[in-house]
Amino acid sequence: MKTRKDPNTIAAIEKAIAEKYGKDTVQDFRNEWEENKEKEYLTQLKEMRTRRDKFSTSKEEIVVGDVKITKRSCRQKDDRTCPVCKTYSFSRKDDLYMNRFKCCHDCYIDFVVGREQAWKAGDRPLHEHIEYALRRRK
Ligand SMILES: [Zn+2]
């Protein structure tokens, strides 16, 4: 049974299919489109969206001392790389320092302690100092 569809709906579904299954699938879709397939597909889309929403809103709370951080469970890799020493960190402990000082915990210990004001004003260690600190951390 063929049914007429709103062209906007079809375009949107084609785009979604192309993204999920690749462009070739869109051709098949044009030729063999049936209402029950659309229903099935829309159900899938809805499920995918529900799952994604659930995922993106699941938050994690971290408490360091008296500071509470709410962290989204899905974070960009960039957020986890210290801008100072370029170390990639999985440590939750580093999140606090990343938020407050834009560096990891080790950099905080090595470069920030005792000179927070200068640090917040944008003062950063020399490249040699960072290299030296990195060697010492290993
Ligand atoms: Zn660092």
Side-chain angles (χ1 to χ4, degrees), residues 11-136:
I13 294 168
E14 278 184 0
K15 189 168 175 284
I17 289 178
E19 279 168 9
K20 190 160 188 267
Y21 299 107
K23 288 217 165 15
D24 291 344
T25 321
V26 177
Q27 288 307 315
D28 299 337
F29 154 79
R30 274 178 193 276
N31 297 335
E32 298 180 30
W33 191 245
E34 287 170 27
E35 196 172 7
N36 57 350
K37 282 193 184 171
E38 177 178 341
K39 275 186 186 147
E40 191 187 313
Y41 187 72
L42 289 178
T43 311
Q44 279 183 26
L45 265 188
K46 206 176 151 198
E47 278 172 13
M48 268 158 46
R49 201 171 301 138
T50 313
R51 219 175 299 154
R52 199 186 53 205
D53 287 350
K54 215 192 278 174
F55 182 66
S56 65
T57 54
S58 72
K59 287 178 183 169
E60 220 180 318
E61 276 190 353
I62 307 154
V63 179
V64 184
D66 56 354
V67 183
K68 193 193 275 181
I69 301 169
T70 306
K71 180 182 87 129
R72 281 185 175 272
S73 61
C74 169
R75 292 190 57 165
Q76 297 293 308
K77 189 170 182 277
D78 285 352
D79 289 347
R80 309 217 56 103
T81 305
C82 171
V84 179
C85 67
K86 314 290 181 216
T87 301
Y88 181 66
S89 168
F90 289 100
S91 167
R92 289 178 189 185
K93 179 178 72 174
D94 286 329
D95 288 341
L96 171 71
Y97 297 95
M98 216 69 105
N99 282 343
R100 289 181 68 181
F101 300 106
K102 310 280 177 250
C103 69
C104 66
H105 175 254
D106 285 341
C107 283
Y108 172 77
I109 298 297
D110 284 336
F111 308 119
V112 185
V113 173
R115 48 193 300 280
E116 284 89 349
Q117 288 308 317
W119 186 269
K120 284 197 168 163
D123 193 21
R124 291 295 180 271
L126 292 171
H127 183 68
E128 294 92 278
H129 290 173
I130 298 169
E131 296 269 283
Y132 177 75
L134 277 173
R135 275 199 300 275
R136 225 181 29 177

